[in-house]
Amino acid sequence: MTQLQDRAGLAETARGSLGGARRFWRALVDGPLIHSYYALAGSVLLLTAIGIMMVLSASAVESISAQESAYSYFVKQATFGGIGVVLMFALSFVPTAWYRRGATGLLVLAVLLLMLVFTPLGQEINGNRNWIVVGGQTFQPSEAAKLAVAIWLAMVLARQGDAVRDWRQALWPSGLGIGIPAAMIVLGDDVGTALVFVLIYGAALFFAGAPLRLFAIAAAGAALVGTLAVVTAPHRVDRITGWLFGECGATDACYQSQQGLNALASGGWWGVGLGQSRLKYNYVPEAHNDYIFSIIGEELGLLGTVLILALFAVMALAMARVILRARSGFVRIATACIVTWLVGQAFINIGMVTGVLPVIGVPLPFISYGGSSLLMSLAAVGVVMSFTRLPRRIQVPTRTPRPRTPNEDRA
């Protein structure tokens, strides 16, 4: 009798869990889409605020050691953050048709900006030539190219419709549109950013309905190209061997990764306190940039890192609702490209800091120092926020009542 009661209880619990999952799925798919607007705005504003705060904490020591103001990085990041937030809300009111019409112009502008990198305006930082200097202010054109490519791919693939199921139609002209900016970025020796472009292209093809065998061939090709890129560059070989074996000194490639892990480990559950990091005293290179997540783990502990992950999850879920509710291929593909870009880049950065991935060198969106990255990430979210407003302007046809028969009238 007791076993039967236990089984009945387990069955009731399973039915309750299944019912809860169904209710969650209905709310995700059928709930008001404007909820995604507020979820995106709230999660991204919190991520930006935390990022600006952590840039101040992580960069103050380095600024003072360079005989600069302790607030120099903070002021620049806060300025770009303020401009980016205004731009995000402004773009959220732009009609979707405007993005479609301006997609080609945006891509051409992005390519022109990438070409400036190889002119006297270009600047090389940490071995990567992917910056331009205008009026004393540096700007990274590859960040703008990410958004331009995402919108352009959505326009081209949505216009092709079912023809994209043919692999030749899927790759032309989309392959040319992304190949040109990606090749220019590789020429600047920024392989990490080129990897993000590959993720964007993969998301665009998948959500456009390209044949799955195309992805298997592309994965094999990417593995071959990646292997060649590693073996032809000694510093990349050092990064891979350091990641695999992890035994190195202060001058080796894996030193940065090991110090990042030490910072995360020393934070514990609650952290050592905001501004109290010890490893940011020139122990963790690029503490305010690529490795800022390790400083968050040290100062705010495990709970601080979980908060960052939760905010990215909220952002991804809000964009997933847009994809599920999209009534046009353009909106679906553009949103998929943007969420893959932001979440994929966050995964690469956090995987690099935690030792799951080798050192690749991409910033953590909304958190790492970098005005170009912050500005264009906020702009990308603004584009998706504009899609959440679209269904409210679309007239949903009502069902026409079935005519009554004479017999039904007499009844």
Side-chain angles (χ1 to χ4, degrees):
M1 185 66 178
T2 304
Q3 291 181 349
L4 291 175
Q5 290 176 343
D6 291 341
R7 291 178 181 176
L10 290 174
E12 185 66 25
T13 302
R15 284 194 295 270
S17 301
L18 185 59
R22 287 174 178 169
R23 287 192 297 271
F24 174 77
W25 179 255
R26 283 197 213 100
L28 183 67
V29 177
D30 299 327
L33 194 55
I34 195 63
H35 291 172
S36 290
Y37 183 96
Y38 297 116
L40 284 172
S43 59
V44 168
L45 288 175
L46 283 174
L47 283 170
T48 303
I50 294 172
I52 293 172
M53 175 184 68
M54 293 308 303
V55 165
L56 172 61
S57 175
S59 66
V61 173
E62 185 176 340
S63 297
I64 293 173
S65 64
Q67 297 182 347
E68 298 178 358
S69 169
Y71 301 97
S72 58
Y73 288 103
F74 165 77
V75 171
K76 293 178 183 177
Q77 190 76 350
T79 301
F80 275 100
I83 297 172
V85 168
V86 173
L87 180 62
M88 178 182 75
F89 283 107
L91 291 176
S92 71
F93 289 93
V94 174
T96 302
W98 289 20
Y99 292 118
R100 277 197 294 260
R101 293 173 190 151
T104 302
L106 289 174
L107 181 64
V108 171
L109 178 60
V111 172
L112 291 176
L113 289 174
L114 286 170
M115 291 174 63
L116 292 177
V117 169
F118 303 101
T119 68
L121 292 176
Q123 184 180 36
E124 182 175 325
I125 299 178
N126 294 332
N128 295 339
R129 190 175 181 84
N130 274 310
W131 282 264
I132 58 176
V133 182
V134 179
Q137 181 63 53
T138 59
F139 180 76
Q140 194 170 6
S142 59
E143 295 297 330
K146 292 175 185 175
L147 181 57
V149 164
I151 295 175
W152 184 82
L153 286 173
M155 182 271 294
V156 169
L157 295 174
R159 188 172 57 191
Q160 288 180 307
D162 291 337
V164 78
R165 299 185 185 279
D166 182 356
W167 67 271
R168 288 163 294 193
Q169 296 289 332
L171 296 180
W172 179 262
S174 63
L176 180 65
I178 194 170
I180 293 175
M184 298 175 72
I185 291 169
V186 172
L187 288 176
D189 205 25
D190 192 354
V191 178
T193 301
L195 177 59
V196 177
F197 274 80
V198 173
L199 294 178
I200 293 173
Y201 192 35
L205 291 175
F206 179 82
F207 283 90
L212 294 180
R213 64 178 178 274
L214 182 62
F215 295 93
I217 299 173
L224 177 62
V225 173
T227 302
L228 291 175
V230 170
V231 299
T232 56
H235 68 282
R236 296 191 189 112
V237 174
D238 291 341
R239 288 180 178 183
I240 296 297
T241 55
W243 170 58
L244 291 174
F245 304 107
E247 296 181 1
C248 60
T251 60
D252 294 325
C254 60
Y255 173 78
Q256 186 179 21
S257 178
Q258 285 191 344
Q259 292 301 315
L261 286 173
N262 290 338
L264 285 171
S266 62
W269 283 90
W270 312 105
V272 298
L274 184 62
Q276 301 302 313
S277 168
R278 293 180 291 273
L279 291 178
K280 69 184 179 184
Y281 285 81
N282 293 327
Y283 287 101
V284 179
E286 300 293 330
H288 62 291
N289 198 345
D290 293 349
Y291 271 77
I292 196 169
F293 189 75
S294 64
I295 305 302
I296 293 175
E298 184 183 9
E299 295 190 350
L300 304 182
L302 178 64
L303 295 182
T305 59
V306 169
L307 174 61
I308 298 298
L309 296 177
L311 291 174
F312 273 108
V314 170
M315 182 191 71
L317 186 61
M319 292 191 184
R321 295 186 74 245
V322 178
I323 295 172
L324 291 171
R325 298 283 300 278
R327 301 187 181 192
S328 73
F330 173 79
V331 171
R332 181 178 65 253
I333 298 170
T335 304
C337 289
I338 290 172
V339 69
T340 303
W341 155 21
L342 297 175
V343 176
Q345 189 168 310
F347 174 81
I348 293 173
N349 179 274
I350 295 173
M352 172 187 70
V353 172
T354 56
V356 176
L357 298 174
V359 177
I360 297 174
V362 294
L364 183 60
F366 310 107
I367 306 293
S368 295
Y369 174 76
S372 305
S373 175
L374 179 59
L375 185 66
M376 300 316 302
S377 297
L378 289 169
V381 173
V383 172
V384 178
M385 288 169 64
S386 72
F387 299 154
T388 67
R389 307 172 61 86
L390 182 62
R392 297 192 299 171
R393 299 195 294 269
I394 295 179
Q395 295 295 328
V396 180
T398 58
R399 183 179 179 183
T400 304
R402 182 176 60 86
R404 296 171 65 87
T405 63
N407 292 334
E408 289 176 335
D409 291 336
R410 285 196 297 271

